[in-house]
Amino acid sequence: MAPEAKHDQLKPVQELLESGVVPEMYLQQLKDEHQVGDGPLPLMDGPIIDFSLLSSFNSEELSKLRSALSTWGCFQLVNHGMTSELLDEIRELSKEFFKLPLEEKEKTTLHEYSNKTKEVSKTLFKAMSRSLKLDENRFFELWGDDKEDIIHARFNFYPRCPSANQVVGLKAHTDGSAITVLLQDKEIEGLQVLKDDQWFKVPIIPEAIIIHVGDQLEIASNGIFKSPVHKVVINPKCDRISLAMLPLPNPEKEIGPLKELITEDRPQMFKRLKDYGQIYFTYMASMERQINAVKINY
Ligand SMILES: O=C(O)CCC(=O)C(=O)O
Ligand SMILES: [Fe+2]
């Protein structure tokens, strides 16, 4: 396991399995105002972005990126340079993760994946800055520099559950990270994203990784990029896994909307702050969107 890897999802799932008591965070809200009727949900038809074009700062791909981040707040990333073999090994390892300890070989694989994710994230931050015509290091600086780049790994395990319609895998939330690099299960769907007050199913593209804007990037972009509300539903017959890698700004570092993105038309939307992680957890239970706690004029 990479030294920075965490397994904070371990306990609730184990408790759930052992005690048969479903913790609150997994309970489906009986009434979901975003669920219209009982019909099948539409599929997210958001963009698929080609990493190899982004890394050469192809202008068409950059505008696709900008549009994806300011509408959906997430996209599927292909051609990211991580082989299907590596992604499959990580998926296998995620299933094993809950039977710790990992073997040496698995630790090495996780370390490799963590390093590659950092590389991909770094290029993404640069492309995001360029897509807004900013100096290319502006968002990357938010997360770190070449000496410091904190990334957390969150392993998610969603055990199958016969009463799947009453239990959620993960209730509706936004991520508190700068961005989230998500590897989802290869076979079992479950992730849904909210856009324009409607839930969309995120389709499985086995070779793709999913990138989400996190709250801290929404703050830094002064609200131009959207941190999407998303949730996970569980499957009645099959277990599902995912691995979320979360690049996190150093809690000691002050972050806030970039000054270049504060204009007369777009006044400063968020306060400047340190340690968003702390704020996020403080308001976890009491607010639907924790980011509202740092909104100006909310
Ligand atoms: O399991 C998934 O597909 C999403 C997980 C997630 O939203 C998270 O870890 O924050
Ligand atoms: Fe999430």
Side-chain angles (χ1 to χ4, degrees):
M1 180 175 68
E4 63 273 46
K6 273 197 159 182
H7 45 90
D8 50 330
Q9 291 293 321
L10 175 61
K11 218 170 146 207
V13 172
Q14 299 300 78
E15 277 173 11
L16 172 76
L17 291 176
E18 277 167 22
S19 68
V21 178
V22 181
E24 190 270 337
M25 72 178 293
Y26 298 102
L27 281 179
Q28 179 92 277
Q29 284 135 5
L30 284 177
K31 199 170 147 283
D32 185 337
E33 70 274 26
H34 304 302
Q35 185 101 43
V36 186
D38 292 330
L41 288 186
L43 272 190
M44 166 175 153
D45 57 356
I48 297 172
I49 290 188
D50 185 331
F51 183 78
S52 65
L53 294 176
L54 276 190
S55 31
S56 58
F57 302 119
N58 172 290
S59 59
E60 225 172 277
E61 213 63 11
L62 287 181
S63 57
K64 228 166 117 179
L65 176 72
R66 178 184 173 148
S67 144
L69 297 180
S70 47
T71 54
W72 289 94
C74 61
F75 59 87
Q76 306 252 17
L77 184 69
V78 295
N79 279 334
H80 40 64
M82 292 193 256
T83 62
S84 296
E85 288 74 26
L86 176 62
L87 299 187
D88 285 347
E89 279 179 45
I90 291 291
R91 289 183 177 109
E92 281 311 308
L93 175 162
S94 301
K95 290 177 192 158
E96 293 296 309
F97 189 72
F98 295 90
K99 304 173 199 149
L100 288 168
L102 293 181
E103 289 167 17
E104 258 341 284
K105 191 174 139 283
E106 293 176 313
K107 287 185 201 168
T108 311
T109 307
L110 188 51
H111 200 67
E112 180 190 350
Y113 182 68
S114 168
N115 284 338
K116 293 221 158 118
T117 308
K118 284 182 178 184
E119 283 304 309
V120 168
S121 304
K122 186 171 162 178
T123 303
L124 285 176
F125 281 122
K126 293 192 174 191
M128 288 168 182
S129 301
R130 288 226 183 181
S131 80
L132 296 179
K133 309 263 183 298
L134 301 170
D135 177 89
E136 79 173 24
N137 284 318
R138 294 298 272 144
F139 289 133
F140 176 55
E141 282 162 0
L142 169 78
W143 173 39
D145 51 41
D146 288 320
K147 285 189 250 41
E148 183 185 36
D149 43 14
I150 308 171
I151 198 157
H152 280 196
R154 177 160 62 218
F155 289 86
N156 297 302
F157 176 62
Y158 308 96
R160 59 186 173 270
C161 179
S163 45
N165 56 347
Q166 284 158 29
V167 178
V168 280
L170 213 48
K171 72 175 188 182
H173 68 283
T174 58
D175 293 344
S177 51
I179 58 171
T180 300
V181 179
L182 181 76
L183 180 66
Q184 65 161 338
D185 200 288
K186 200 174 174 175
E187 277 138 23
I188 308 301
E189 278 180 358
L191 177 62
Q192 300 181 359
V193 174
L194 192 66
K195 180 175 171 278
D196 304 329
D197 274 344
Q198 161 76 55
W199 288 111
F200 289 83
K201 284 200 279 189
V202 178
I204 295 175
I205 303 179
E207 70 282 9
I209 48 180
I210 295 169
I211 309 295
H212 281 264
V213 173
D215 287 355
Q216 302 201 52
L217 183 62
E218 176 164 337
I219 294 169
S221 69
N222 200 24
I224 295 176
F225 295 156
K226 309 278 182 254
S227 170
V229 174
H230 54 285
K231 68 174 179 180
V232 179
V233 297
I234 55 178
N235 189 292
K237 297 209 181 79
C238 304
D239 297 343
R240 177 178 183 272
I241 52 99
S242 72
L243 172 56
M245 301 294 281
L246 312 159
L248 296 172
N250 183 327
E252 320 242 289
K253 189 153 157 179
E254 191 177 78
I255 67 149
L258 297 179
K259 61 178 186 327
E260 302 93 308
L261 301 177
I262 302 172
T263 59
E264 217 166 297
D265 293 343
R266 182 175 278 280
Q268 183 172 348
M269 275 181 75
F270 302 99
K271 297 173 198 159
R272 300 192 63 76
L273 60 100
K274 283 184 183 168
D275 199 0
Y276 183 74
Q278 186 58 43
I279 298 172
Y280 185 86
F281 285 109
T282 305
Y283 292 100
M284 185 97 145
S286 63
M287 271 194 184
E288 200 173 49
R289 288 208 58 196
Q290 293 71 31
I291 204 172
N292 290 338
V294 297
K295 223 172 214 170
I296 293 173
N297 299 329
Y298 176 65

